[in-house]
């Protein structure tokens, strides 16, 4: 039987930096191992803004952004084992990988040696079909890349966990945040605020490093026990040679040597923020106290499910401002001004209007 494509409403950018506008796209009818999801919410990540503006190069238009997707399973292919219609599910930043390489076998599909297929602004493993993201009514995804949203987590507050949550959970786990560790989170935005909540729930002592004092009360409420404003010399002084682990979420070019100066002996700073500019690092920012500079991207599917379950257990969701899809261009401007507390989430039902 020929399976017909499913027509789906969406919002897309048609060229670099252009405002997003309504568009109609097609989703594949679910194949044997696919899950068709009715999207309910989609978070707005700073990566969406970078990619719509082609900050990283190679952008594919029309681009339907969105990789913090939650929704309800509408139908499943005949070989799907893990999901059934009505299930509450999420999809994050990737929708496929080779499944065979060392990284995929280790459950680290985000480091697939052949190709991780991004949820949007990418091409499927066939090298041709463009992928289109979650600012849309429905999506078809192989069940290997679908995660379960536990009962206690509302779908709107859970959406940002699919990127902001896992992107910070994974390095916190890898570099062993927990009791006895001093963790600093640089930048209190979408990723940063989840890093604070997660690191605190893991038992670490958490300090937020922000540019001003504007977000101090919020940071303390999220679980930070200290707060540094880099614009204030006396405050910045208190951050020197102090942290075991820094999760750096800064989205535009900033002086990394300053932040490296905040690490203690054997400390590690992990870049998750992804400005496209070179970030010059002095050798003497690393050598004297045996410091390390590292990077990390999202997390594997198994770890994403683990993070979801951890959030449900600790009652952690994102701090969100729910918007209707018509407000998306305004929201992008506010993301660029760091004027978001702390994640925009699109109510996808607003697409129908
Ligand atoms: P966001 O909500 O805009 O937060 C970024 C924060 O960085 C801002 O709130 C601000 O914090 C700080 N900041 C921005 N410009 C700065 C500057 N020039 N100097 C110092 N601090 C600055 O963005 P997000 O959604 O959390 O994403 C953050 C970055 O992570 C983006 O580049 C995104 O593309 C990247 N990302 C990477 C991955 C990955 O897999 N590695 C996944 C998702 C996102 P304060 O106002 O507190 O100073
Ligand atoms: Zn993201």
């Amino acid at each position: 039987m020929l399976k017909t494509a499913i027509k789906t409403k969406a919002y897309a950018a048609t060229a670099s930096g252009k405002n997003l506008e309504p568009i109609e796209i097609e989703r594949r009818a679910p194949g044997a191992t696919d899950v068709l999801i009715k999207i309910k919410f989609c978070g707005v990540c700073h990566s969406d803004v970078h990619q719509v503006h082609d900050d990283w190069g190679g952008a594919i238009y029309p681009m339907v952004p969105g990789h913090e997707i939650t929704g309800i399973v509408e139908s499943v292919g005949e070989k799907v084992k893990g999901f059934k219609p009505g299930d509450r599910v999420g999809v994050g930043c990737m929708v496929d990988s080779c499944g065979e390489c060392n990284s995929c076998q280790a459950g680290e599909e985000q480091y697939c040696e052949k190709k991780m297929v991004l949820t949007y602004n990418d091409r499927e493993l066939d090298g041709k079909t463009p992928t289109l993201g979650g600012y849309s009514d429905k999506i078809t995804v192989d069940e290997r890349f679908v995660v379960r949203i536990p009962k206690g987590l509302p779908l709107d507050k859970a959406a940002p966990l699919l990127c902001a949550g896992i992107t910070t959970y994974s390095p916190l786990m890898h570099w062993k945040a927990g009791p006895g560790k001093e963790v600093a989170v640089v930048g209190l935005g979408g990723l940063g605020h989840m890093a604070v909540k997660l690191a605190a729930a893991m038992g670490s002592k958490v300090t937020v490093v922000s540019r001003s004092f504007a977000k101090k009360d919020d940071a303390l409420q999220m679980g930070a026990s200290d707060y540094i404003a880099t614009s204030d010399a006396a405050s910045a002084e208190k951050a020197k040679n102090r942290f075991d682990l820094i999760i750096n979420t800064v989205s535009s070019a900033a002086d990394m040597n300053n932040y490296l100066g905040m690490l203690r002996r054997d400390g590690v700073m992990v870049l998750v923020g992804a400005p496209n500019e070179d970030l010059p690092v002095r050798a003497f920012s690393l050598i004297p106290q045996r410091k390390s500079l590292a990077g990390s991207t999202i997390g594997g599917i198994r770890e994403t499910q683990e993070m979801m379950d951890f959030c449900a257990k600790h009652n952690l969701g994102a701090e969100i401002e729910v918007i209707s899809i018509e407000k998306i261009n305004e929201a992008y401007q506010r993301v660029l001004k760091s004027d978001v507390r702390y994640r925009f989430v699109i109510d996808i039902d607003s697409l129908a209007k």
Side-chain angles (χ1 to χ4, degrees), residues 44-47 50 56 67 163 167 187-192 209-212 215 249-254 259 271-275 296-298 335 338 340 342-343:
V44 178
C45 180
H46 202 120
S47 301
H50 284 309
W56 301 331
H67 59 206
C163 173
T167 300
L188 196 65
L191 267 56
V209 178
S210 183
R211 287 168 293 180
S212 74
K215 299 173 180 173
T249 76
V250 173
S251 51
S252 51
Y259 300 122
L271 297 185
V272 290
S296 181
T297 194
I298 50 174
V335 168
S338 302
V340 45
Y342 283 86
R343 196 59 133 189

Side-chain angles (χ1 to χ4, degrees), residues 6 34 54 75 123 132 147 171 173 183 212 259-260 298 302 327-328 332 352:
I6 299 154
D34 281 338
D54 199 13
S75 65
R123 297 193 190 277
L132 301 166
V147 300
M173 293 299 284
V183 175
S212 74
Y259 300 122
L260 288 167
I298 50 174
R302 190 166 61 216
K327 297 278 182 201
I328 189 64
Y332 275 25

Side-chain angles (χ1 to χ4, degrees), residues 90-92 94-97 109 141-147 301:
V91 176
M94 57 182 170
V95 290
D96 210 354
S97 72
E109 302 89 352
V141 180
D142 189 285
E143 74 163 324
R144 290 191 298 127
F145 290 85
V146 179
V147 300
I301 295 299

